[in-house]
């Protein structure tokens, strides 16, 4: 019978989201759901959501078709009927996955196939603590080395069964867990591949005990370090030289603190253009021996933030992460370098504050812990559902774990649970998290660089290829398609190019300065990549628009400039018409107005060309070559006016005429007194001037004598 059938009751569906109802049973090769199944469903279904099989039924949800068998305690495991099994065998060629997962698989075929490594999940049940008095009855018990069962809270006559990669019961020792689940992944570090060991579970369930342990029961961390040092020592030879270094940090209330150097608080988490997650400024120390490790690790562990709660006397108030770097350098050309990272993570436990009795600071810490664990759960959901956005950035913890879940590491989750009934719902939540984490698939590869910093294509890891792994990580795939550079997580500053490290630190300082001055400018580095790209694009567009506007402005200015110069050269200025108000009697006279007179045309014959000129320009010209052509009536009237002035004007009036100065005016008056009045204007030549001069005099005064024109000087 399928080994994973575990759902005991229909009530179970109320405890689990639909899509996880089959996570446990379907996480392995027994993937039973059929995406194409709806077409066939009416044949087997009874219309009420159950197959014609009393032991279980196919259930259809929005996304999945799930085989949901019944299984009750005491009744033994009952698998589906022969009918259902035959249906299953007919349909088992389909793989349990969502449409998007199918699509991603199709895309995946277009790129070189890389090995996948499903996240390994094991569960450790700690022994009941206390002397038995006041100790509540256990609600969970192991079934075999892979399975456990927990009471159904709705019906205590039923239990729910979970199956994992490994189950360690109350009697399991630290060594059992280490040898069974942790040690196997260490060998990947020597191949240049990342690994992560993560302890998860409710507060007081034994995470710290598992990871750190005690002097007489050392946990996973000291055991892993001891072995790793030994392994690198053994492997070091002519071909590869190994070195190990470590960093140790905690995430306390969404702040990254350096446990090796406690003065460094609130370190930033960054991602470089190769998607490496960095913690600039994090201390990294080389360790050559286990005593080196102890001398660093033990005092640093004392820096962890712990406090007493009602559920745990020494409760971790932070997530702690020990980073161990395994670097290797090739002993001969091309002198390749490999860098692998081991993350050993002791998460803070989820806390139900009705039971922890937390107040004040403890409550605040608890809020931060629960929030980050909730984001962790969302990350796993997003990975399982193949969502385009995995919310790694929603908490510092998930940002750091980006590599461990859906990333490039060989990951092991140790879910710690407690047997006590008072932990029941915490245990259930942890088991659900563990069950859904089983579906997450990572894509480990060897990170190798050549001395010229050219990163080689990652090598597929065939040794760990998992035939059961069904779901490639979408985000990871996208990355592997683009650059040839591998993913990694935390890279300490020391390992970076000095220029890059300096730049990061400068940006960091700049951002801090922004925060200090309360500037509302855009955050430089915390902006998510997509938004940042959008902003950069917007900025580029704005720059282009600005440039276009500037060019237009310059063009318009140039045009305006040339226009300002043009009129003097080309466009003749037309004299503005003056509004002239004449006295009534003048209007009544038949004389033409000044305006009419001003339209007199003076033709200048010069080099055979005719030109219209204004009267004023005529005045200033030498009249020698001029021929004045006026309407005869105007000419006659002009002459009359000049004659009248010559005969009646005083000396002063005469000087108003052109070419008549004081001396000439005096002569005219004297001539008049002596000879009487001028008979015609041409008699002006009697004043001792030549005929030409007399004509010139007339010509000069004829226009001004018409109407109310003042003579021009
Ligand atoms: N397998 C075990 N065997 C014996 N004692 C254990 C075991 N697991 C846990 N304990 C004990 O249970 C208590 C709580 O364990 P621990 O501090 O490791 O819990 P935790 O999950 O880390 O809690 P928190 O999240 O609050 O830090 C400790 O006293 C520890 O010694």
């Amino acid at each position: 019978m399928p080994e994973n059938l575990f759902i005991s009751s229909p009530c179970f569906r109320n405890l689990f989201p639909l899509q996880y109802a089959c996570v446990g049973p379907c996480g392995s090769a027994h993937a039973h759901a059929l995406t194409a199944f709806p077409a066939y469903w009416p044949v087997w279904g009874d219309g009420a959501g159950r197959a014609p099989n009393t032991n279980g039924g196919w259930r259809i949800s929005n996304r999945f078709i799930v085989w949901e068998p019944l299984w009750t305690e005491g009744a033994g495991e009952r698998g589906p009927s022969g009918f259902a099994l035959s249906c299953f065998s007919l349909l088992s060629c389909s793989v349990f996955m969502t449409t998007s997962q199918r699509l991603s698989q199709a895309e995946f075929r277009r790129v070189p196939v890389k090995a996948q490594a499903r996240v390994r999940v094991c569960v450790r049940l700690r022994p009941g603590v206390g002397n038995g008095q006041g100790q509540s009855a256990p609600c969970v018990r192991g079934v075999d080395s892979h399975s456990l069962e927990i009471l159904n809270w709705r019906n205590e006559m039923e239990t729910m069964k979970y199956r994992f990669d490994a189950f360690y019961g109350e009697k399991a020792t630290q060594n059992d867990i280490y040898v069974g689940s942790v040690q196997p992944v260490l060998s990947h570090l020597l191949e240049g591949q990342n690994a992560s060991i993560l302890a998860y579970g409710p507060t007081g369930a034994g995470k710290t005990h598992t990871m750190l342990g005690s002097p007489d029961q050392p946990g996973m961390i000291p055991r892993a370090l001891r072995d790793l040092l030994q392994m690198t020592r053994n492997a070091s030879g002519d071909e590869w030289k190994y070195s190990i270094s470590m960093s140790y940090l905690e995430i306390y209330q969404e702040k990254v603190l350096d446990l090796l150097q406690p003065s460094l608080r609130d370190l930033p988490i960054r991602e470089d253009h190769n998607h490496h997650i960095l913690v600039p400024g994090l201390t990294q120390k080389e360790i050559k021996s286990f005593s080196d490790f102890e001398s660093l690790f033990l005092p640093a562990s004392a820096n962890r933030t712990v406090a007493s709660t009602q559920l745990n006397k020494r409760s971790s108030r932070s997530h702690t992460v020990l980073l161990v770097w395994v670097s290797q350098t090739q002993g001969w050309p091309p002198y390749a370098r490999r860098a692998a990272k081991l993350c050993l993570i002791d998460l803070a436990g989820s806390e139900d504050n009705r039971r922890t009795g937390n107040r004040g600071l403890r409550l605040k810490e608890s809020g931060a812990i629960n929030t980050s664990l909730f984001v962790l759960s969302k990350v796993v959901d997003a990975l399982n559902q193949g969502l385009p956005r995995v919310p790694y950035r929603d908490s510092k913890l998930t940002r750091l774990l980006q590599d461990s879940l859906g990333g490039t590491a060989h990951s092991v989750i140790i879910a710690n649970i407690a047997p006590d009934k008072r932990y029941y719902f915490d245990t259930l939540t942890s088991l659900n998290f563990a069950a859904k984490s089983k579906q997450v698939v990572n894509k480990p590869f060897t990170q190798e660089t050549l001395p010229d910093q050219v990163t080689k294509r990652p090598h597929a890891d065939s040794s760990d290829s998992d035939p059961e792994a069904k779901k490639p990580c979408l985000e990871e795939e996208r990355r592997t398609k683009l650059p040839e550079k591998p993913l990694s997580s935390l890279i300490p500053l020391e390992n970076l190019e000095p220029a890059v490290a300096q730049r990061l630190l400068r940006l960091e300082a700049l951002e801090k300065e922004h925060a200090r001055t309360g500037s509302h400018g855009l955050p430089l580095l915390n902006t998510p990549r997509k938004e940042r790209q959008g902003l950069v694009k917007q900025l580029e567009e704005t720059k282009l628009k600005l440039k276009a506007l500037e060019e237009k402005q310059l063009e318009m200015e140039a045009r305006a400039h040339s226009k300002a110069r043009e009129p003097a050269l080309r466009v003749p200025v037309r004299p503005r018409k003056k509004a002239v108000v004449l006295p009534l009697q003048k209007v009544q006279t038949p004389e033409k107005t000044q305006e009419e007179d001003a339209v007199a045309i003076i033709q200048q014959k010069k080099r055979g060309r005719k030109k219209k000129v204004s009267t004023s320009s005529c005045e200033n010209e030498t009249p020698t070559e001029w021929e004045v052509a006026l309407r005869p009536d105007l000419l006659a009237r002009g002459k009359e006016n000049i004659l009248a002035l010559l005969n009646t004007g005083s000396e002063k009036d005469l000087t108003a005429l052109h070419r008549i100065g004081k001396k000439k005016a005096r002569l005219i008056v004297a001539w008049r007194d002596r000879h009487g009045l001028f008979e015609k204007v041409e008699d002006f030549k009697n004043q001792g001037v030549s005929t030409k001069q007399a004509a010139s005099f007339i010509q000069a005064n004829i226009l001004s004598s018409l109407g109310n024109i003042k003579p021009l000087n």
Side-chain angles (χ1 to χ4, degrees):
M1 71 153 276
E3 59 185 330
N4 288 321
L5 302 177
F6 69 99
I7 302 173
S8 65
S9 160
C11 305
F12 189 83
R13 280 174 301 191
N14 299 324
L15 284 173
F16 292 83
L18 276 183
Q19 59 268 46
Y20 300 128
C22 66
V23 160
C26 300
S28 67
H30 305 278
H32 308 323
L34 309 160
T35 46
F37 190 67
Y40 299 97
W41 174 239
V43 180
W44 294 315
D46 62 2
R50 312 295 298 178
N53 155 17
T54 52
N55 293 330
W58 295 101
R59 188 161 54 73
I60 183 166
S61 77
N62 285 346
R63 300 173 69 85
F64 306 124
I65 307 296
V66 181
W67 166 250
E68 187 184 276
L70 289 178
W71 185 86
T72 46
E73 190 181 22
E77 293 183 359
R78 295 193 308 238
S81 68
F83 174 76
L85 280 173
S86 56
C87 293
F88 165 67
S89 59
L90 271 173
L91 298 161
S92 58
C93 53
S94 285
V95 180
F96 173 65
M97 58 184 160
T98 64
T99 310
S100 59
Q101 285 163 356
R102 277 174 173 275
L103 282 174
S104 78
Q105 282 212 341
E107 287 170 2
F108 187 56
R109 277 187 217 110
R110 289 202 293 271
V111 298
V113 177
K114 296 204 179 86
Q116 298 172 351
R118 186 170 54 73
V119 171
R120 305 270 155 181
V121 180
C122 63
V123 173
R124 181 181 198 183
L125 175 66
R126 77 151 162 73
V129 285
N131 54 11
Q133 286 179 346
Q135 197 180 317
S136 54
C139 62
V140 60
R141 70 180 167 89
V143 174
D144 56 38
S145 60
H146 292 281
S147 313
L148 64 106
E149 58 185 11
I150 183 169
L151 288 176
N152 180 354
W153 65 286
R154 294 200 167 202
N155 180 358
E156 290 202 1
M157 297 302 290
E158 294 178 345
T159 60
M160 294 172 282
K161 190 178 173 190
Y162 286 81
R163 183 178 173 82
F164 296 99
D165 294 298
F167 169 72
Y168 301 101
E170 291 154 285
K171 292 202 174 76
T173 62
Q174 301 275 53
N175 193 52
D176 293 338
I177 293 141
Y178 177 71
V179 172
S181 295
V182 177
Q183 200 177 36
V185 299
L186 297 184
S187 57
H188 297 300
L189 293 161
L190 301 193
E191 297 157 8
Q193 298 178 7
N194 295 338
S196 292
I197 315 293
L198 191 141
Y200 180 94
T203 180
K207 297 179 296 295
T208 308
H209 177 81
T210 301
M211 295 306 283
L212 259 66
S214 55
D216 52 328
Q217 295 179 61
M220 303 305 116
I221 289 177
R223 285 169 192 270
L225 262 296
R226 189 195 54 203
D227 276 5
L228 203 54
L229 284 159
Q230 188 58 48
M231 285 159 72
T232 52
R233 230 173 275 136
N234 295 343
S236 273
D238 288 344
E239 186 179 3
W240 293 103
K241 297 252 178 309
Y242 291 85
S243 65
I244 295 184
S245 55
M246 63 173 268
S247 299
Y248 197 18
L249 63 89
E250 72 172 351
I251 303 173
Y252 175 70
Q253 293 200 39
E254 281 302 279
K255 286 186 177 136
V256 178
L257 316 180
D258 190 342
L259 289 172
L260 290 178
Q261 204 176 328
S263 58
L264 295 178
R265 307 181 77 81
D266 198 9
L267 293 169
I269 302 176
R270 303 279 179 249
E271 183 178 1
D272 70 7
H273 64 282
N274 286 326
H275 307 291
H276 294 138
I277 301 291
L278 316 166
V279 181
L282 184 68
T283 309
Q284 188 180 1
K285 300 269 187 194
E286 191 176 358
I287 45 175
K288 289 200 157 93
S289 63
F290 190 72
S291 57
D292 281 355
F293 166 70
E294 276 188 321
S295 64
L296 291 168
F297 182 73
L298 295 179
S301 294
N303 295 329
R304 291 173 48 151
T305 313
V306 289
S308 172
T309 70
Q310 281 178 20
L311 292 180
N312 189 356
K313 282 196 186 116
R314 253 186 87 78
S315 174
S316 309
R317 312 313 295 157
S318 62
H319 308 295
T320 52
V321 183
L322 174 69
L323 297 161
V324 182
W325 312 91
V326 181
S327 311
Q328 56 188 106
T329 315
Q330 206 169 16
W332 50 68
Y335 303 106
R337 277 184 293 172
R338 290 178 180 175
K341 181 190 65 188
L342 171 65
C343 281
L344 296 147
I345 304 144
D346 178 12
L347 293 177
S350 54
E351 295 183 347
D352 179 350
N353 286 310
R354 287 166 299 186
R355 293 188 302 112
T356 53
N358 284 338
R359 297 269 180 286
L361 180 61
R362 294 288 91 81
L363 195 64
K364 213 173 152 201
E365 291 165 350
S366 181
I369 293 167
N370 287 344
T371 305
S372 54
L373 292 174
F374 176 65
V375 177
L376 182 62
S377 176
K378 280 202 306 179
V379 163
V380 172
D381 287 345
L383 288 168
N384 283 343
Q385 291 169 33
L387 296 182
R389 181 184 180 266
V390 181
Y392 289 116
R393 290 169 184 269
D394 289 4
S395 80
K396 293 266 169 76
L397 173 68
T398 47
R399 192 82 170 109
L400 273 176
L401 293 184
Q402 197 163 335
D403 201 36
S404 308
L405 289 167
T408 59
H410 296 268
S411 296
V412 176
I413 294 179
I414 305 172
N416 290 86
I417 54 170
D420 318 49
K421 217 169 179 179
R422 59 184 178 145
Y423 283 95
Y424 178 80
F425 284 102
D426 293 326
T427 304
L428 207 52
T429 310
S430 299
L431 289 174
N432 290 339
F433 175 81
K436 66 184 179 185
S437 300
K438 281 204 313 178
Q439 294 236 305
V440 175
V441 176
N442 289 355
K443 296 185 76 180
F445 58 79
T446 298
Q447 300 180 80
E448 190 170 294
T449 52
L450 296 176
D452 62 356
Q453 299 299 318
V454 178
T455 308
K456 279 191 176 178
R457 282 196 79 83
H459 302 304
D461 174 25
S462 54
S463 62
D464 198 56
S465 60
D466 183 351
E468 296 177 1
K470 304 174 294 301
K471 197 177 76 54
C473 163
L474 293 182
E475 186 151 305
E476 187 57 27
E477 265 178 38
R478 265 197 302 281
R479 285 176 189 168
T480 52
K481 272 182 230 168
L482 290 170
E484 298 184 352
K485 298 192 176 176
L487 279 174
S488 170
S489 282
L490 302 164
I491 293 214
L493 271 187
E494 291 86 337
N495 282 12
L496 286 174
E497 288 286 304
V500 176
Q502 264 184 4
R503 202 161 157 245
L504 275 168
L505 288 172
R506 269 208 307 277
L507 282 169
E508 176 61 18
L510 198 61
E511 203 177 38
K512 275 197 177 139
E513 180 63 19
H514 268 246
R516 198 177 56 76
T517 54
S519 161
H520 296 297
L522 289 170
L524 291 172
L525 294 167
N526 280 338
T527 317
R529 169 175 288 270
K530 264 190 183 171
E531 282 177 36
R532 211 158 54 214
Q533 281 174 344
L535 286 171
V536 169
K537 202 176 160 197
Q538 223 174 310
L539 195 68
E540 287 305 317
E541 282 171 6
T542 314
K543 273 184 188 168
L544 283 175
K545 274 184 198 166
L546 269 175
K547 208 174 169 191
L549 281 172
E550 271 173 15
E551 277 169 9
K552 208 169 176 185
Q553 191 186 354
L554 283 174
E555 200 179 301
M556 285 172 79
E557 277 175 6
R559 225 183 279 164
H561 233 263
S562 60
K563 265 187 188 169
R565 267 183 277 143
E566 265 174 15
L569 300 171
R570 297 181 209 158
V571 186
V573 179
R574 303 182 74 178
R576 302 204 80 179
K577 291 181 180 177
K578 287 181 186 170
V580 180
V581 181
L582 296 173
L584 187 59
Q585 68 270 25
K586 287 259 180 187
V587 174
Q588 285 166 344
T589 58
E591 283 182 4
K592 298 205 172 171
T593 63
Q594 173 190 347
E595 193 137 13
E596 284 170 320
D597 292 340
V599 296
I601 299 167
I602 301 172
Q603 289 179 324
Q604 181 188 22
K605 286 184 182 173
K606 195 170 186 181
R607 292 174 198 153
R609 287 176 62 195
K610 288 187 177 178
K611 194 177 178 183
K612 275 186 180 179
V613 291
S614 68
T615 51
S616 62
S617 65
C618 170
E619 294 282 339
N620 295 326
E621 293 293 337
T622 312
T624 328
E625 297 283 326
W626 293 85
E627 184 184 318
V628 179
L630 281 177
R631 277 189 356 236
D633 55 330
L634 289 177
L635 184 63
R637 202 171 71 234
K639 281 186 177 178
E640 270 175 29
N641 288 347
I642 296 170
L643 185 62
L645 196 59
L646 286 174
N647 286 332
T648 59
S650 63
E651 273 185 37
K652 197 180 173 190
D653 291 338
L654 290 171
T655 52
L657 288 167
H658 287 285
R659 300 169 196 248
I660 304 291
K662 276 185 186 171
K663 192 176 165 191
K664 204 151 242 176
R666 217 177 301 135
L667 280 174
I668 291 170
V669 172
W671 190 90
R672 213 171 53 198
D673 290 343
R674 201 179 320 154
H675 300 285
L677 297 179
F678 292 95
E679 285 179 11
K680 49 186 192 299
V681 72
E682 281 80 2
D683 290 345
F684 180 67
K685 64 178 184 231
N686 299 330
Q687 300 301 307
V689 296
S690 66
T691 309
K692 198 176 171 184
Q693 281 174 330
S696 172
F697 165 73
I698 296 165
Q699 191 179 352
N701 289 285
I702 193 81
L703 292 175
S704 51
S705 66
L706 287 168
N708 203 23
I709 298 173
K710 276 190 179 176
L712 298 170
N713 296 314

